[in-house]
């Protein structure tokens, strides 16, 4: 199977990046490949945990309905829960608001040996907040600097390897998924009456996302075509597997 | 009473800074003044808490026997404990070591309205660790950068005002205080058999402290002549009081 295409741009423009797999990409073959990668991931994660030298932070961002919950279930659900934790960030509490915006984030930074998944993240503080003008451009700029400093801290001072994924869906796909939530009794709990109102702000969201990708790119973001779940899961599992392989980990010997 | 003398140097050299009050400084008058400041501090702290716009971080560093515990008891003991918390940092635990060195610090950053006192702090990671070569110069440099970024975050993103005090004692005064711990049954619990060994590393400690003052000076450090407790307590209470006055705080009106 050939390698997926990534889009390296001096400046990320979301409308120039497809939300679907390349046309002739084989779905069944990809699904098999993803299963094989997941088996490999289990082994690599065991090694990561045993060695306890490195830590992994997976940041997952995306619009409502882009499939964040699904990718967490399907890609990370296969791993030993002792070594993987997921933190979902909601609107900050009063206690959290009485601190700097990274306070609630830092506490959940991964310990050595661990994989930490963020379902939404510190990036919300320069996304939804900007769209609704709760945060002005100058504050957003200062926050981006603080985010870059913070990610540098994790990378330099705790061997934290950060993978940042944006689940890229088309507005049409999003709309169809949100409407499904209204119709499907198993999905109704996910529906928020505000979702369709938020969807109208699509273009503003895209522009603040682009600003965030272009200003917080160390490490860079991976834009994941996400209209098809099978392709999205493949891309993310594959990226994590490649990262873990590159760490050149070893099982530690007997303690002396 | 005249203002205390501070030493503004392009580069801090500890041996050029006295460890005692100026010769003709009046002890009794100073003690009265400190008591008056402490009364004022209680009022200011109440206002800080009520307004909940600003937060205060007090970092206290100093050699063994420099009087860190005493200054915390005597200056901050007068305040409403609901608005003041003290965190003493000891050698990091295994859990703390599995994170970046600022992880355990960030969690205790002050919430708005609060005064947080650090008895020792993140600076230990570039002090005792350097003296014992557990941390090489390059790592120390990277940690200083991370500390500067971190303090910038607190200052810019949570209106945290940081006061950093170094309790400056002479080696003679330190020795006499450590020996007192061996003799005085009420102070024996503080004695650590390692203390006198550590004291032999005096010059190395001074040089790593100077490096830290000169590289992490936003906000700058206050070097507090600390051979006399009455003078030390005055300087610290006075500095905090001046800071609080400058904040121009107001009691909030009725909630609408």
């Amino acid at each position: 199977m050939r390698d997926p295409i990534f889009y390296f741009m001096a400046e990320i423009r979301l409308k120039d990046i497809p939300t679907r797999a390349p046309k002739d990409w084989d779905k069944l073959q990809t699904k098999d490949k993803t299963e094989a990668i997941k088996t490999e991931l289990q082994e690599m994660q065991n090694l990561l945990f045993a060695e306890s030298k490195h830590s992994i932070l997976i940041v997952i961002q995306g619009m409502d309905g882009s499939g964040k919950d699904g990718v967490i279930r399907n890609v990370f659900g296969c791993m030993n829960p002792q070594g993987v934790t997921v933190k979902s960030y909601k609107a900050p509490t009063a206690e959290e608001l009485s601190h700097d915006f990274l306070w609630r984030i830092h506490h959940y930074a991964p310990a050595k040996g661990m994989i930490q998944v963020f379902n939404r993240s510190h990036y919300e503080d320069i996304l939804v907040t900007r769209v609704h003008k709760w945060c002005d451009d100058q504050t957003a700029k200062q926050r981006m600097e603080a985010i870059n400093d913070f990610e540098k801290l994790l990378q330099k001072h705790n061997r934290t390897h950060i993978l940042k994924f944006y689940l890229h869906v088309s507005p049409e796909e999003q709309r169809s998924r949100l409407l499904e939530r209204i119709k499907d009794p198993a999905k109704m709990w996910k529906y928020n009456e505000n979702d369709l109102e938020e969807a109208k702000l699509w273009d503003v969201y895209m522009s603040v996302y682009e600003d965030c990708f272009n200003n917080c790119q160390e490490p860079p973001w991976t834009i994941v075509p996400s209209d098809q779940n099978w392709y999205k899961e493949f891309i993310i599992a594959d990226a994590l597997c490649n990262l873990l392989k590159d760490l050149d980990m070893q099982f530690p010997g007997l303690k002396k």
Side-chain angles (χ1 to χ4, degrees), chain A:
Chain A
M1 212 168 100
R2 68 181 206 266
D3 285 335
I5 300 162
F6 289 103
Y7 299 86
F8 295 103
M9 299 174 162
E11 212 178 299
I12 287 179
R13 288 178 311 275
L14 286 170
K15 67 175 167 45
D16 297 341
I17 303 178
T19 57
R20 302 179 66 82
K23 270 214 172 114
D24 52 348
W25 201 269
D26 189 294
K27 177 173 172 179
L28 284 182
Q29 209 186 343
T30 304
K31 284 186 145 188
D32 288 347
K33 176 81 180 153
T34 304
E35 287 311 307
I37 293 173
K38 280 160 73 173
T39 306
E40 221 176 334
L41 277 180
Q42 289 170 16
E43 286 164 25
M44 305 292 288
Q45 186 223 338
N46 188 34
L47 185 52
L48 177 82
F49 191 79
E51 196 195 43
S52 281
K53 276 193 183 171
H54 301 271
S55 55
I56 311 288
L57 176 60
I58 315 272
V59 172
I60 298 182
Q61 286 286 157
M63 299 292 282
D64 289 326
S66 60
K68 299 183 287 295
D69 295 339
V71 84
I72 290 172
R73 186 177 59 244
N74 294 332
V75 175
F76 300 94
C78 70
M79 294 182 195
N80 183 345
Q82 189 168 242
V84 180
T85 48
V86 178
K87 170 68 185 166
S88 295
Y89 285 99
K90 313 280 179 194
T93 65
E95 191 198 12
E96 290 167 349
L97 283 175
S98 76
H99 287 276
D100 68 82
F101 76 106
L102 292 173
W103 181 82
R104 68 175 189 154
I105 308 294
H106 205 164
H107 188 63
Y108 289 95
K112 289 190 185 75
M114 296 293 292
I115 297 177
Q116 173 73 53
V117 182
F118 282 175
N119 183 352
R120 303 188 185 270
S121 66
H122 41 302
Y123 284 98
E124 289 296 327
D125 285 295
I126 48 168
L127 293 167
V128 59
T129 49
R130 280 188 94 182
V131 169
H132 291 282
K133 314 277 185 213
W134 306 323
C135 164
D136 62 31
D137 287 349
Q138 205 206 331
T139 308
K141 194 172 171 298
Q142 289 177 342
R143 287 187 184 171
M144 288 179 205
E145 285 170 18
I147 286 173
N148 290 336
D149 291 341
F150 173 67
E151 294 186 354
K152 190 169 116 188
L153 168 72
L154 301 186
Q155 294 175 92
K156 273 205 172 173
H157 295 271
N158 205 40
R159 289 209 195 101
T160 302
H161 306 271
I162 307 177
L163 289 174
K164 301 189 286 197
F165 296 107
Y166 172 70
L167 307 191
H168 187 34
V169 287
S170 62
E172 297 73 28
E173 179 65 24
Q174 188 210 33
R175 190 169 173 79
S176 118
R177 291 186 190 178
L178 292 180
L179 291 175
E180 209 181 312
R181 288 183 183 177
I182 301 178
K183 288 178 205 153
D184 182 346
K187 291 185 176 173
M188 282 177 184
W189 65 275
K190 287 192 142 194
Y191 181 71
N192 184 321
E193 57 175 356
N194 207 27
D195 286 353
L196 290 168
E197 281 305 306
E198 282 295 294
K200 291 180 189 162
L201 299 166
W202 187 272
D203 290 343
V204 193
Y205 267 105
M206 292 306 106
S207 85
V208 294
Y209 259 115
E210 284 173 355
D211 206 33
C212 136
F213 300 147
N214 292 319
N215 286 293
C216 299
Q217 47 179 328
E218 212 157 313
W221 285 81
T222 301
I223 311 300
V224 185
S226 297
D227 279 358
Q228 299 141 301
N229 290 331
W230 56 270
Y231 188 69
K232 164 186 78 180
E233 286 160 17
F234 163 66
I235 294 289
I236 291 179
D238 191 49
L240 176 57
C241 194
N242 288 334
L243 164 64
L244 290 171
K245 278 182 192 161
D246 281 350
L247 297 185
D248 191 31
M249 297 180 285
Q250 306 286 336
F251 279 106
L254 268 180
K255 271 188 190 148
K256 278 167 201 161

